[in-house]
mmCIF file of all heavy atoms in Angstrom:
data_model
loop_
_atom_site.group_PDB
_atom_site.id
_atom_site.type_symbol
_atom_site.label_atom_id
_atom_site.label_comp_id
_atom_site.label_asym_id
_atom_site.label_seq_id
_atom_site.Cartn_x
_atom_site.Cartn_y
_atom_site.Cartn_z
ATOM 1 N N PHE A 1 164.276 130.181 85.451
ATOM 2 C CA PHE A 1 165.681 130.375 85.144
ATOM 3 C C PHE A 1 166.576 129.607 86.132
ATOM 4 O O PHE A 1 167.354 130.180 86.959
ATOM 5 C CB PHE A 1 166.078 131.897 85.188
ATOM 6 C CG PHE A 1 165.481 132.654 84.063
ATOM 7 C CD1 PHE A 1 164.497 133.607 84.268
ATOM 8 C CD2 PHE A 1 165.884 132.411 82.739
ATOM 9 C CE1 PHE A 1 163.939 134.329 83.237
ATOM 10 C CE2 PHE A 1 165.327 133.176 81.688
ATOM 11 C CZ PHE A 1 164.360 134.090 81.970
ATOM 12 N N PRO A 2 166.433 128.281 86.177
ATOM 13 C CA PRO A 2 167.253 127.470 87.079
ATOM 14 C C PRO A 2 168.717 127.605 86.765
ATOM 15 O O PRO A 2 169.116 127.800 85.657
ATOM 16 C CB PRO A 2 166.704 126.045 86.814
ATOM 17 C CG PRO A 2 166.191 126.028 85.443
ATOM 18 C CD PRO A 2 165.613 127.471 85.300
ATOM 19 N N THR A 3 169.540 127.493 87.815
ATOM 20 C CA THR A 3 170.985 127.531 87.649
ATOM 21 C C THR A 3 171.474 126.279 86.957
ATOM 22 O O THR A 3 170.710 125.281 86.908
ATOM 23 C CB THR A 3 171.681 127.763 88.971
ATOM 24 O OG1 THR A 3 171.456 126.598 89.794
ATOM 25 C CG2 THR A 3 171.237 128.994 89.648
ATOM 26 N N VAL A 4 172.729 126.232 86.572
ATOM 27 C CA VAL A 4 173.316 125.036 85.953
ATOM 28 C C VAL A 4 173.244 123.908 86.975
ATOM 29 O O VAL A 4 172.959 122.767 86.610
ATOM 30 C CB VAL A 4 174.760 125.332 85.500
ATOM 31 C CG1 VAL A 4 175.442 124.030 85.043
ATOM 32 C CG2 VAL A 4 174.794 126.383 84.419
ATOM 33 N N GLU A 5 173.516 124.211 88.243
ATOM 34 C CA GLU A 5 173.467 123.161 89.250
ATOM 35 C C GLU A 5 172.044 122.602 89.449
ATOM 36 O O GLU A 5 171.865 121.420 89.602
ATOM 37 C CB GLU A 5 174.013 123.760 90.591
ATOM 38 C CG GLU A 5 174.119 122.752 91.735
ATOM 39 C CD GLU A 5 174.718 123.347 93.009
ATOM 40 O OE1 GLU A 5 175.215 124.436 92.930
ATOM 41 O OE2 GLU A 5 174.626 122.637 94.015
ATOM 42 N N GLN A 6 171.095 123.498 89.437
ATOM 43 C CA GLN A 6 169.702 123.033 89.577
ATOM 44 C C GLN A 6 169.268 122.218 88.358
ATOM 45 O O GLN A 6 168.493 121.258 88.517
ATOM 46 C CB GLN A 6 168.790 124.236 89.736
ATOM 47 C CG GLN A 6 168.832 124.925 91.081
ATOM 48 C CD GLN A 6 168.016 126.183 91.146
ATOM 49 O OE1 GLN A 6 168.014 127.030 90.233
ATOM 50 N NE2 GLN A 6 167.324 126.359 92.265
ATOM 51 N N MET A 7 169.727 122.552 87.204
ATOM 52 C CA MET A 7 169.374 121.837 85.999
ATOM 53 C C MET A 7 169.833 120.412 86.025
ATOM 54 O O MET A 7 169.323 119.525 85.435
ATOM 55 C CB MET A 7 169.883 122.549 84.713
ATOM 56 C CG MET A 7 169.016 123.732 84.287
ATOM 57 S SD MET A 7 167.278 123.317 84.014
ATOM 58 C CE MET A 7 167.380 121.984 82.853
ATOM 59 N N ALA A 8 170.956 120.175 86.755
ATOM 60 C CA ALA A 8 171.498 118.826 86.857
ATOM 61 C C ALA A 8 170.533 117.880 87.635
ATOM 62 O O ALA A 8 170.562 116.672 87.464
ATOM 63 C CB ALA A 8 172.831 118.835 87.563
ATOM 64 N N GLU A 9 169.633 118.503 88.458
ATOM 65 C CA GLU A 9 168.634 117.712 89.210
ATOM 66 C C GLU A 9 167.258 117.830 88.679
ATOM 67 O O GLU A 9 166.320 117.190 89.172
ATOM 68 C CB GLU A 9 168.663 118.234 90.673
ATOM 69 C CG GLU A 9 170.053 118.155 91.353
ATOM 70 C CD GLU A 9 170.031 118.791 92.716
ATOM 71 O OE1 GLU A 9 168.956 119.203 93.164
ATOM 72 O OE2 GLU A 9 171.076 118.782 93.341
ATOM 73 N N SER A 10 167.106 118.632 87.627
ATOM 74 C CA SER A 10 165.716 118.981 87.159
ATOM 75 C C SER A 10 165.157 117.880 86.330
ATOM 76 O O SER A 10 165.851 117.210 85.577
ATOM 77 C CB SER A 10 165.753 120.263 86.314
ATOM 78 O OG SER A 10 164.458 120.573 85.826
ATOM 79 N N GLU A 11 163.840 117.634 86.468
ATOM 80 C CA GLU A 11 163.135 116.657 85.667
ATOM 81 C C GLU A 11 162.650 117.275 84.350
ATOM 82 O O GLU A 11 162.104 116.549 83.509
ATOM 83 C CB GLU A 11 161.877 116.205 86.456
ATOM 84 C CG GLU A 11 162.204 115.319 87.745
ATOM 85 C CD GLU A 11 162.731 113.982 87.404
ATOM 86 O OE1 GLU A 11 161.998 113.231 86.663
ATOM 87 O OE2 GLU A 11 163.809 113.689 87.860
ATOM 88 N N LEU A 12 162.828 118.572 84.168
ATOM 89 C CA LEU A 12 162.296 119.293 82.999
ATOM 90 C C LEU A 12 163.271 120.381 82.573
ATOM 91 O O LEU A 12 163.859 121.031 83.378
ATOM 92 C CB LEU A 12 160.917 119.909 83.366
ATOM 93 C CG LEU A 12 160.286 120.826 82.317
ATOM 94 C CD1 LEU A 12 159.811 119.991 81.100
ATOM 95 C CD2 LEU A 12 159.080 121.560 82.905
ATOM 96 N N ASP A 13 163.461 120.430 81.281
ATOM 97 C CA ASP A 13 164.236 121.540 80.670
ATOM 98 C C ASP A 13 163.370 122.143 79.596
ATOM 99 O O ASP A 13 163.315 121.704 78.498
ATOM 100 C CB ASP A 13 165.557 121.038 80.076
ATOM 101 C CG ASP A 13 166.406 122.143 79.504
ATOM 102 O OD1 ASP A 13 165.998 123.315 79.632
ATOM 103 O OD2 ASP A 13 167.423 121.851 78.819
ATOM 104 N N LEU A 14 162.682 123.241 79.984
ATOM 105 C CA LEU A 14 161.635 123.786 79.119
ATOM 106 C C LEU A 14 162.041 125.274 78.739
ATOM 107 O O LEU A 14 162.214 126.102 79.659
ATOM 108 C CB LEU A 14 160.277 123.795 79.729
ATOM 109 C CG LEU A 14 159.152 124.519 79.041
ATOM 110 C CD1 LEU A 14 158.837 123.822 77.664
ATOM 111 C CD2 LEU A 14 157.874 124.612 79.830
ATOM 112 N N VAL A 15 162.232 125.517 77.477
ATOM 113 C CA VAL A 15 162.483 126.902 77.012
ATOM 114 C C VAL A 15 161.283 127.317 76.181
ATOM 115 O O VAL A 15 160.849 126.614 75.271
ATOM 116 C CB VAL A 15 163.785 126.998 76.148
ATOM 117 C CG1 VAL A 15 163.942 128.356 75.562
ATOM 118 C CG2 VAL A 15 165.009 126.596 76.968
ATOM 119 N N LEU A 16 160.726 128.514 76.516
ATOM 120 C CA LEU A 16 159.594 129.003 75.725
ATOM 121 C C LEU A 16 159.824 130.496 75.464
ATOM 122 O O LEU A 16 160.486 131.185 76.211
ATOM 123 C CB LEU A 16 158.286 128.767 76.365
ATOM 124 C CG LEU A 16 157.987 129.508 77.703
ATOM 125 C CD1 LEU A 16 156.451 129.715 77.870
ATOM 126 C CD2 LEU A 16 158.444 128.647 78.935
ATOM 127 N N ALA A 17 159.263 130.923 74.362
ATOM 128 C CA ALA A 17 159.318 132.362 73.985
ATOM 129 C C ALA A 17 157.906 132.851 73.664
ATOM 130 O O ALA A 17 157.053 132.042 73.172
ATOM 131 C CB ALA A 17 160.250 132.573 72.811
ATOM 132 N N GLY A 18 157.654 134.071 73.882
ATOM 133 C CA GLY A 18 156.328 134.640 73.607
ATOM 134 C C GLY A 18 156.235 136.091 73.786
ATOM 135 O O GLY A 18 157.198 136.758 74.205
ATOM 136 N N SER A 19 155.107 136.602 73.433
ATOM 137 C CA SER A 19 154.837 138.060 73.598
ATOM 138 C C SER A 19 154.005 138.171 74.929
ATOM 139 O O SER A 19 153.773 137.229 75.631
ATOM 140 C CB SER A 19 154.030 138.535 72.467
ATOM 141 O OG SER A 19 152.741 137.923 72.364
ATOM 142 N N LYS A 20 153.552 139.364 75.135
ATOM 143 C CA LYS A 20 152.733 139.589 76.339
ATOM 144 C C LYS A 20 151.374 138.872 76.261
ATOM 145 O O LYS A 20 150.743 138.566 77.283
ATOM 146 C CB LYS A 20 152.498 141.115 76.548
ATOM 147 C CG LYS A 20 153.718 141.845 77.118
ATOM 148 C CD LYS A 20 153.475 143.279 77.348
ATOM 149 C CE LYS A 20 153.476 144.091 76.061
ATOM 150 N NZ LYS A 20 153.494 145.524 76.332
ATOM 151 N N GLU A 21 150.979 138.591 75.026
ATOM 152 C CA GLU A 21 149.626 137.970 74.850
ATOM 153 C C GLU A 21 149.643 136.519 74.678
ATOM 154 O O GLU A 21 148.712 135.824 74.997
ATOM 155 C CB GLU A 21 148.913 138.645 73.681
ATOM 156 C CG GLU A 21 148.547 140.093 73.797
ATOM 157 C CD GLU A 21 149.753 141.025 73.600
ATOM 158 O OE1 GLU A 21 150.699 140.577 72.939
ATOM 159 O OE2 GLU A 21 149.777 142.146 74.101
ATOM 160 N N SER A 22 150.699 135.962 74.050
ATOM 161 C CA SER A 22 150.650 134.512 73.665
ATOM 162 C C SER A 22 152.031 133.897 73.623
ATOM 163 O O SER A 22 153.018 134.559 73.711
ATOM 164 C CB SER A 22 149.964 134.461 72.266
ATOM 165 O OG SER A 22 150.675 135.213 71.314
ATOM 166 N N VAL A 23 151.997 132.602 73.352
ATOM 167 C CA VAL A 23 153.247 131.782 73.264
ATOM 168 C C VAL A 23 153.583 131.617 71.794
ATOM 169 O O VAL A 23 152.723 131.340 70.929
ATOM 170 C CB VAL A 23 153.104 130.396 73.896
ATOM 171 C CG1 VAL A 23 154.272 129.495 73.644
ATOM 172 C CG2 VAL A 23 152.783 130.517 75.406
ATOM 173 N N LEU A 24 154.900 131.813 71.477
ATOM 174 C CA LEU A 24 155.379 131.753 70.074
ATOM 175 C C LEU A 24 156.251 130.551 69.784
ATOM 176 O O LEU A 24 156.256 130.048 68.645
ATOM 177 C CB LEU A 24 156.242 133.024 69.807
ATOM 178 C CG LEU A 24 155.493 134.258 69.242
ATOM 179 C CD1 LEU A 24 156.317 135.477 69.413
ATOM 180 C CD2 LEU A 24 155.210 134.018 67.748
ATOM 181 N N MET A 25 156.970 130.088 70.769
ATOM 182 C CA MET A 25 157.930 128.993 70.512
ATOM 183 C C MET A 25 158.122 128.199 71.824
ATOM 184 O O MET A 25 158.097 128.781 72.870
ATOM 185 C CB MET A 25 159.310 129.556 70.042
ATOM 186 C CG MET A 25 160.271 128.521 69.621
ATOM 187 S SD MET A 25 161.201 127.697 70.953
ATOM 188 C CE MET A 25 162.046 129.111 71.705
ATOM 189 N N ILE A 26 158.174 126.877 71.665
ATOM 190 C CA ILE A 26 158.438 125.974 72.783
ATOM 191 C C ILE A 26 159.502 124.999 72.352
ATOM 192 O O ILE A 26 159.451 124.464 71.262
ATOM 193 C CB ILE A 26 157.125 125.216 73.170
ATOM 194 C CG1 ILE A 26 155.997 126.192 73.539
ATOM 195 C CG2 ILE A 26 157.416 124.252 74.332
ATOM 196 C CD1 ILE A 26 154.653 125.497 73.729
ATOM 197 N N GLU A 27 160.370 124.724 73.291
ATOM 198 C CA GLU A 27 161.277 123.596 73.101
ATOM 199 C C GLU A 27 161.626 123.049 74.476
ATOM 200 O O GLU A 27 162.186 123.710 75.319
ATOM 201 C CB GLU A 27 162.609 124.003 72.365
ATOM 202 C CG GLU A 27 163.536 122.808 72.210
ATOM 203 C CD GLU A 27 164.327 122.842 70.941
ATOM 204 O OE1 GLU A 27 163.875 123.444 69.903
ATOM 205 O OE2 GLU A 27 165.396 122.260 70.893
ATOM 206 N N GLY A 28 161.149 121.845 74.771
ATOM 207 C CA GLY A 28 161.309 121.286 76.061
ATOM 208 C C GLY A 28 161.533 119.789 76.114
ATOM 209 O O GLY A 28 161.061 119.083 75.200
ATOM 210 N N PHE A 29 162.199 119.333 77.159
ATOM 211 C CA PHE A 29 162.533 117.912 77.306
ATOM 212 C C PHE A 29 162.278 117.554 78.772
ATOM 213 O O PHE A 29 162.722 118.312 79.643
ATOM 214 C CB PHE A 29 163.914 117.621 76.813
ATOM 215 C CG PHE A 29 164.189 118.056 75.386
ATOM 216 C CD1 PHE A 29 164.715 119.285 75.191
ATOM 217 C CD2 PHE A 29 163.826 117.276 74.384
ATOM 218 C CE1 PHE A 29 164.961 119.702 73.841
ATOM 219 C CE2 PHE A 29 164.040 117.701 73.044
ATOM 220 C CZ PHE A 29 164.628 118.926 72.823
ATOM 221 N N GLY A 30 161.698 116.459 79.031
ATOM 222 C CA GLY A 30 161.454 116.039 80.385
ATOM 223 C C GLY A 30 161.348 114.565 80.601
ATOM 224 O O GLY A 30 161.352 113.793 79.659
ATOM 225 N N ASN A 31 161.305 114.173 81.821
ATOM 226 C CA ASN A 31 161.271 112.779 82.185
ATOM 227 C C ASN A 31 159.809 112.304 82.248
ATOM 228 O O ASN A 31 159.254 112.215 83.360
ATOM 229 C CB ASN A 31 161.977 112.527 83.539
ATOM 230 C CG ASN A 31 162.115 111.095 83.854
ATOM 231 O OD1 ASN A 31 161.892 110.215 83.045
ATOM 232 N ND2 ASN A 31 162.450 110.768 85.111
ATOM 233 N N GLN A 32 159.189 112.144 81.069
ATOM 234 C CA GLN A 32 157.812 111.688 80.992
ATOM 235 C C GLN A 32 156.837 112.594 81.822
ATOM 236 O O GLN A 32 156.233 112.090 82.750
ATOM 237 C CB GLN A 32 157.719 110.222 81.393
ATOM 238 C CG GLN A 32 158.685 109.325 80.583
ATOM 239 C CD GLN A 32 158.596 107.865 81.021
ATOM 240 O OE1 GLN A 32 157.673 107.141 80.577
ATOM 241 N NE2 GLN A 32 159.598 107.423 81.784
ATOM 242 N N ILE A 33 156.781 113.842 81.392
ATOM 243 C CA ILE A 33 155.991 114.838 82.093
ATOM 244 C C ILE A 33 154.533 114.723 81.658
ATOM 245 O O ILE A 33 154.280 114.826 80.464
ATOM 246 C CB ILE A 33 156.544 116.267 81.837
ATOM 247 C CG1 ILE A 33 157.992 116.364 82.197
ATOM 248 C CG2 ILE A 33 155.710 117.322 82.556
ATOM 249 C CD1 ILE A 33 158.333 116.163 83.613
ATOM 250 N N PRO A 34 153.598 114.602 82.492
ATOM 251 C CA PRO A 34 152.181 114.537 82.148
ATOM 252 C C PRO A 34 151.728 115.833 81.414
ATOM 253 O O PRO A 34 152.293 116.934 81.686
ATOM 254 C CB PRO A 34 151.423 114.395 83.445
ATOM 255 C CG PRO A 34 152.417 113.807 84.432
ATOM 256 C CD PRO A 34 153.725 114.386 84.009
ATOM 257 N N GLU A 35 150.804 115.758 80.505
ATOM 258 C CA GLU A 35 150.347 116.891 79.748
ATOM 259 C C GLU A 35 149.875 118.063 80.563
ATOM 260 O O GLU A 35 150.191 119.220 80.290
ATOM 261 C CB GLU A 35 149.217 116.488 78.762
ATOM 262 C CG GLU A 35 149.700 115.874 77.469
ATOM 263 C CD GLU A 35 150.172 114.403 77.639
ATOM 264 O OE1 GLU A 35 150.031 113.815 78.719
ATOM 265 O OE2 GLU A 35 150.729 113.833 76.657
ATOM 266 N N GLU A 36 149.123 117.761 81.606
ATOM 267 C CA GLU A 36 148.583 118.842 82.459
ATOM 268 C C GLU A 36 149.732 119.606 83.124
ATOM 269 O O GLU A 36 149.693 120.821 83.251
ATOM 270 C CB GLU A 36 147.635 118.281 83.509
ATOM 271 C CG GLU A 36 146.996 119.291 84.443
ATOM 272 C CD GLU A 36 146.143 120.312 83.628
ATOM 273 O OE1 GLU A 36 145.525 119.906 82.636
ATOM 274 O OE2 GLU A 36 146.104 121.435 84.078
ATOM 275 N N GLN A 37 150.729 118.872 83.631
ATOM 276 C CA GLN A 37 151.877 119.533 84.258
ATOM 277 C C GLN A 37 152.719 120.306 83.238
ATOM 278 O O GLN A 37 153.241 121.402 83.615
ATOM 279 C CB GLN A 37 152.749 118.456 84.915
ATOM 280 C CG GLN A 37 153.823 118.983 85.902
ATOM 281 C CD GLN A 37 154.581 117.919 86.600
ATOM 282 O OE1 GLN A 37 154.734 116.832 86.120
ATOM 283 N NE2 GLN A 37 154.988 118.245 87.830
ATOM 284 N N MET A 38 152.756 119.864 82.004
ATOM 285 C CA MET A 38 153.452 120.641 80.975
ATOM 286 C C MET A 38 152.780 121.926 80.697
ATOM 287 O O MET A 38 153.440 122.973 80.574
ATOM 288 C CB MET A 38 153.575 119.798 79.703
ATOM 289 C CG MET A 38 154.412 120.478 78.580
ATOM 290 S SD MET A 38 156.170 120.672 79.008
ATOM 291 C CE MET A 38 156.774 119.028 78.730
ATOM 292 N N VAL A 39 151.440 121.925 80.607
ATOM 293 C CA VAL A 39 150.707 123.176 80.418
ATOM 294 C C VAL A 39 150.958 124.137 81.592
ATOM 295 O O VAL A 39 151.110 125.319 81.406
ATOM 296 C CB VAL A 39 149.191 122.892 80.249
ATOM 297 C CG1 VAL A 39 148.391 124.184 80.186
ATOM 298 C CG2 VAL A 39 148.952 122.061 78.988
ATOM 299 N N GLU A 40 150.924 123.610 82.831
ATOM 300 C CA GLU A 40 151.172 124.407 83.979
ATOM 301 C C GLU A 40 152.574 125.105 83.878
ATOM 302 O O GLU A 40 152.760 126.278 84.255
ATOM 303 C CB GLU A 40 151.110 123.643 85.224
ATOM 304 C CG GLU A 40 149.646 123.158 85.572
ATOM 305 C CD GLU A 40 149.628 122.227 86.803
ATOM 306 O OE1 GLU A 40 150.681 122.004 87.429
ATOM 307 O OE2 GLU A 40 148.546 121.691 87.091
#
């Protein structure tokens, strides 16, 4: 939950939704983020 000020410097803007068991929705944008880092 980065602040608006932190988002201005962030290399990634990732929003995800899910339950306690799994991921349901992803929407993210980044500056050429490697796949492994995206999973993390």
Side-chain angles (χ1 to χ4, degrees):
F1 292 112
T3 63
V4 173
E5 184 178 348
Q6 287 174 318
M7 281 305 303
E9 304 173 2
S10 179
E11 295 287 306
L12 174 67
D13 180 8
L14 175 65
V15 175
L16 67 149
S19 63
K20 286 182 282 189
E21 294 79 23
S22 57
V23 174
L24 268 163
M25 188 279 299
I26 302 171
E27 180 144 334
F29 305 94
N31 188 12
Q32 303 179 79
I33 306 296
E35 277 75 7
E36 182 61 34
Q37 192 173 31
M38 184 65 79
V39 174
E40 291 174 5

